[in-house]
Amino acid sequence: MSKVKVGIIGAGRIGKLHAENLVKLHRVELKAISDIFAEQVREWAGSIGIPHVTDDYKEILQDPDIEAVLICSPTDTHVPIITEAARAGKHIFCEKPISFQLEQTREALEVVKEAGVKFQVGFCRRFDHSLKKAHQTVKEGGIGEPHILRITSRDPHPPGKDYVAASGGLFFDMAIHDFDMARYLVGSEVEEVFAQGAVLVDPLFAECGDVDTAITTLRFKNGAIGVIDNSRKAVYGYDQRVEVLGAKGCVTVSNVTPTTAEISTAEGVFRDKPKYFFLERYNEAFIQEIADFIDSILFDKEVPVSGHDGFQAELIAMAAKKSFAENRPVKLEEISAVQSV
Amino acid sequence: MSKVKVGIIGAGRIGKLHAENLVKLHRVELKAISDIFAEQVREWAGSIGIPHVTDDYKEILQDPDIEAVLICSPTDTHVPIITEAARAGKHIFCEKPISFQLEQTREALEVVKEAGVKFQVGFCRRFDHSLKKAHQTVKEGGIGEPHILRITSRDPHPPGKDYVAASGGLFFDMAIHDFDMARYLVGSEVEEVFAQGAVLVDPLFAECGDVDTAITTLRFKNGAIGVIDNSRKAVYGYDQRVEVLGAKGCVTVSNVTPTTAEISTAEGVFRDKPKYFFLERYNEAFIQEIADFIDSILFDKEVPVSGHDGFQAELIAMAAKKSFAENRPVKLEEISAVQSV
Amino acid sequence: MSKVKVGIIGAGRIGKLHAENLVKLHRVELKAISDIFAEQVREWAGSIGIPHVTDDYKEILQDPDIEAVLICSPTDTHVPIITEAARAGKHIFCEKPISFQLEQTREALEVVKEAGVKFQVGFCRRFDHSLKKAHQTVKEGGIGEPHILRITSRDPHPPGKDYVAASGGLFFDMAIHDFDMARYLVGSEVEEVFAQGAVLVDPLFAECGDVDTAITTLRFKNGAIGVIDNSRKAVYGYDQRVEVLGAKGCVTVSNVTPTTAEISTAEGVFRDKPKYFFLERYNEAFIQEIADFIDSILFDKEVPVSGHDGFQAELIAMAAKKSFAENRPVKLEEISAVQSV
Amino acid sequence: MSKVKVGIIGAGRIGKLHAENLVKLHRVELKAISDIFAEQVREWAGSIGIPHVTDDYKEILQDPDIEAVLICSPTDTHVPIITEAARAGKHIFCEKPISFQLEQTREALEVVKEAGVKFQVGFCRRFDHSLKKAHQTVKEGGIGEPHILRITSRDPHPPGKDYVAASGGLFFDMAIHDFDMARYLVGSEVEEVFAQGAVLVDPLFAECGDVDTAITTLRFKNGAIGVIDNSRKAVYGYDQRVEVLGAKGCVTVSNVTPTTAEISTAEGVFRDKPKYFFLERYNEAFIQEIADFIDSILFDKEVPVSGHDGFQAELIAMAAKKSFAENRPVKLEEISAVQSV
């Protein structure tokens, strides 16, 4: 069986994660990784058998042997790299969000389309067994027409100030996964958004013009309504639950715990907190997401998460941001209108 | 031990329920019940030992022996009966809502205050063991400062058209319990409301100018934010869950099932749906609510749910209705302003 | 509707419990209660409206008005009182066990049979919603032919020395409920028993010639095998779980908790211990058991737990005791053989 | 970092599983695999990058480069291969059971001891997160002195006749994992065993002189008592639960499911069956067991599951077999006595 030759651009936490998953896939050859701090990753790269490390991502794009790239660099570099990679004929896996500027996202997607390469966005949660089952249940009519969507998505602790300042804000950095999940679960586009936010966890969010706590309500084109609650700090761990109520039933996904051990004492019954954070909870989903991307190349299949999916999630994030700023419901078409100017 | 002598006004479903609970309390003597269809309840009343049945509630108010009345008649009769009962020196337990008109509610409460009688509103959920524990946990600081409140409150099936037409609408008839629960759990007044609604269950709601599905977001004075989702039809039964996330933890209350039996077969693992409806789920809460009302009279203690609690819940319902109608967040002070004119 | 007139013999914990449940049933008139310490119960009896209290149970048996008696006196008085009551034509509800001597139990049951009165044994667990559902599931073929039965039955704390000394031992006093449950769930008689025991909780059990911890394995006539584990002390509360594995599935019943509240903190997820003890867990079952006994009189129906059921459970307890003493499996027919001499 | 060079003997289901896990470990070099049907595994071996495939395991033992071997061949070949491998100075990982003959097991372990090589037995369940947490909880005194052990261990479906005929029987083939788990959880050796068995699933077990359903009770040296129930067919999937009740609490481990999705409909609440079988449930445990074996070589640490552990589990299995055959409790010292002749 032929192997897909891959390069990774960006060796931060997420780039390394993908690298470690890729080297275990028999149908992949991970040829190179680039990072602006190449020296700092050289030893790690060697230990898992990546033959080439560079501080210039262009080397990867120019390597005619490499068929596909994973873009794991900072968000503000995504659009230029996507553009170059697509023009170089590389299939592209890009971490979310594609960009903070919808117009730029759209332009990048157009270049991708012209180039005819595969393009997948890193919404890893779609590959989680439980969330996939919820999606399938709704899709196959298992709960009838969807009426109410509920997502709870909370981090175990807030990131540092540097991260927050560059993150694009809670709606773009954190809730964007939930906006994608909302579309994925309900199977309909979002029409209108109302977002409430608050700074309750740490004043640093206010200093960065951001919030750390939010409730976003969504109105879908198919008539369903939904709500997402986000917090940057759930002291008991990464809280990831979804629920869709429909005309004929309700599907819920609850948290995953490291063990099923339960201890009963005179004080009460104690069990594990949820798995610590996204690396633990979505560990298998990250593996599956990359395996599916590789398969879409090998067998020329559609990618499971398209550029359209990336764009729509950003559109909702933009509407949420505007809604919060203006304390009023915002229609997605208002955003598109602004953008198309 | 002396017994409190009680009369009940209104022998519909809820009046009968209170009657059957009262006759089992050793410190109560249920002396009379009134209903405009007195003949239809006479046999039932005899079977549980209520000595007097009348079609004129004034007979109850005029009986000098009777110390307390339960007002279980239709909502539009509450205010005049409260006024008369208070003036007759009777302690009053009144079903929710007190009225559909905030100004009338306020006036009734003023008469009650002048008369110096006890006045309790029928928010029975506050007496549920689980919800009470959630309330206590928050109050005692068990989860730190509250950040996010989440309530799911869904009925197993929609009521009929007659009921809907006279109900005051989803926000006044159904969500009002959740508005009270929100205040009870978070321990703060509500400041602003945004309500989304939809008709997804049955077009009859649209015909009555009502909705059957709603998501209401709340902003509390203490900074917390919250969300309530309501549906008139959860086919799997009465869905009653609450959750408060705080700075130091999270408390959740899940559904109660008729049995804990679970059946595992080749198809999957099956367990009971939640208890069917409010009579089953809040059975013990109904008993406790009345027992506490009786104790507040016997031992001259404060009632556990005051007229202020009844008024606030109506205020939120009013704001939710307005918010839904105008598709914008509504501050509670806007409502008060209108009312004080 | 006519009322069944009832007397209670023995006003200890269980006698009082039945009395308080009976006075709430509209189709019962509780006429009298007897206790050798009559003075100590007189005030309580008055408070719940029992008109007559006596220290001589024969007064109850001689009252021609009384149709049924509840025998709640110490076990060693059961057989003579059953005999007298049956000869006096009273229907009988008798607490478990009927006696510690199988031959005496048999003789008492023969008198009952001759007298033609109703006779019900106090195996209250059969009336628990969850256990009844497990029974029904097995009976209706929901899990196919039963293969393995598992019962966990543990008390929250050990009784005092006086109680233990007079209890008949763990197998007769505590496990007898589980032996009945075993027959009820599997739907087959027991053929052979092997019992292991240990004193791990408190040396007082050894002093009384008893054990506080036991594992009893059962072989049923239908081929199924089963196991019961008992402890006199589960610090986390009354632990009552059952499970039947069959050819087509498995039914399990788990514990019931006072609330469904769950608190998640940085330390873990905490929830309630099981309901404290049998009064809490089987509260509704006690009510139902007496209501069903009353109905079997009123409507001349079969009692739900017969003298045969009482006898079989004692037979298993006897075999368990012998098995533990001799550290070998014991067939029930060995016990019968001894008895029939 | 240096790599441990490994060979695998036997490329059946379990040999392949270990191979696929080994090739993903960066500190291992899997050099060769042997199987008597070498041709049938050559393609698979190539696809995961094993350079050498042979039908003669002696080639592996003679390769001076190979430091460690995994013995995954049929049980009756274990002892001679262990002996040869130890004498060749190879560290050994051996699948369970070491043999069906205690005397042979003992002799093999003596050779291992003389050779001074590492020797680990394949009791993979000890590496499961949940079971390890239960073990740690008991060990650290979290539940006080152990009183009662309960293990439920059921397969999703019975193996075929060929497998059963060569398996050594339920106690040696299946329950042996549970016997090891019993010692691991309680932290004490077993003293006496009573085993009940039945053929309820499939008559083929009777034809092979085996049982398909069993309940085994254990008495431990520290005074605790325990019970294991086994079935070859739980239609709802692989059922793996353990529980230890102690003086200060109880620790339980429940099943693991593929997803946490739950679907509520008018019929009830449905969730996933447990993970299908041991490959799914103990997937991570298999990886960890081999990683720990490799580390014990690399860092010269004690192996986590010793030859003594393997021997003790076989001793219990032997006692269980004898107990079942003779329908009486059997002390382990009886078995040792027989063996030492």
Side-chain angles (χ1 to χ4, degrees), chain B residues 220-237:
Chain B
F220 294 87
K221 286 201 171 149
N222 67 358
I225 53 181
V227 64
I228 297 162
D229 74 90
N230 295 109
S231 170
R232 283 290 193 182
K233 187 174 182 186
V235 293
Y236 53 91

Side-chain angles (χ1 to χ4, degrees), chain B residues 50-71:
Chain B
I50 309 178
H52 186 57
V53 180
T54 171
D55 59 6
D56 181 6
Y57 73 87
K58 288 178 196 284
E59 276 185 32
I60 289 176
L61 297 185
Q62 286 155 9
D63 182 341
D65 221 27
I66 287 178
E67 296 157 80
V69 293
L70 275 57
I71 303 178

Side-chain angles (χ1 to χ4, degrees), chain A residues 15 30 37 44 56 64 95 102 107 110 131 139 144 150 157 166 168-169 187 218 236-237 291 298 302:
Chain A
L30 178 51
F37 304 107
W44 159 83
D56 181 7
E95 272 306 320
L102 278 168
E107 284 167 19
E110 273 162 20
L131 296 169
K139 196 173 174 182
R150 246 180 40 152
H157 64 80
L218 307 169
Y236 54 90
L298 264 182
E302 263 192 49

Side-chain angles (χ1 to χ4, degrees), chain B residues 307-320:
Chain B
H308 172 74
D309 293 322
F311 183 80
Q312 287 297 319
E314 289 171 31
L315 196 51
I316 302 170
M318 195 65 91

Side-chain angles (χ1 to χ4, degrees), chain A residues 61-175:
Chain A
L61 297 185
Q62 286 156 7
D63 182 341
D65 222 28
I66 288 178
E67 297 157 79
V69 293
L70 274 58
I71 304 177
C72 305
S73 49
T75 302
D76 56 6
T77 69
H78 286 181
V79 164
I81 298 178
I82 290 168
T83 307
E84 288 175 70
R87 286 180 180 150
K90 310 301 187 200
H91 299 297
I92 298 165
F93 175 97
C94 181
E95 272 306 320
K96 59 93 224 173
I98 301 173
S99 82
F100 296 133
Q101 305 295 330
L102 278 168
E103 201 46 39
Q104 291 191 14
T105 299
R106 182 179 293 165
E107 284 167 19
L109 293 177
E110 273 162 20
V111 175
V112 164
K113 200 175 170 190
E114 279 161 30
V117 295
K118 306 280 181 196
F119 183 85
Q120 182 173 331
V121 182
F123 286 131
C124 55
R125 295 184 193 171
R126 291 192 179 211
F127 302 87
D128 175 75
H129 291 314
S130 298
L131 296 169
K132 195 178 278 186
K133 185 169 173 182
H135 163 80
Q136 285 294 342
T137 301
V138 176
K139 196 173 174 182
E140 291 160 8
I143 59 157
E145 281 300 306
H147 290 181
I148 294 177
L149 165 82
R150 246 180 40 152
I151 295 179
T152 286
S153 174
R154 302 169 188 163
D155 287 352
H157 64 80
K161 192 162 182 178
D162 288 354
Y163 183 96
V164 173
S167 70
L170 182 144
F171 298 109
F172 256 95
D173 178 59
M174 180 180 178

Side-chain angles (χ1 to χ4, degrees), chain B residues 80-157:
Chain B
I81 298 178
I82 290 168
T83 307
E84 288 175 68
R87 287 182 179 148
K90 309 302 186 197
H91 299 298
I92 298 165
F93 176 96
C94 181
E95 273 306 321
K96 61 91 224 177
I98 301 172
S99 82
F100 297 134
Q101 306 295 332
L102 279 167
E103 201 46 40
Q104 291 191 13
T105 299
R106 181 180 293 165
E107 285 168 17
L109 293 177
E110 273 161 20
V111 175
V112 163
K113 200 176 169 188
E114 279 161 31
V117 295
K118 306 280 180 196
F119 183 86
Q120 183 173 330
V121 180
F123 286 131
C124 55
R125 295 184 193 171
R126 290 191 179 211
F127 302 86
D128 176 75
H129 290 313
S130 298
L131 296 169
K132 194 178 278 185
K133 185 170 173 184
H135 164 79
Q136 285 294 342
T137 301
V138 176
K139 196 174 174 182
E140 291 161 6
I143 59 157
E145 282 300 304
H147 290 181
I148 293 177
L149 164 81
R150 249 181 37 155
I151 295 178
T152 286
S153 174
R154 302 169 188 162
D155 288 351
H157 64 80

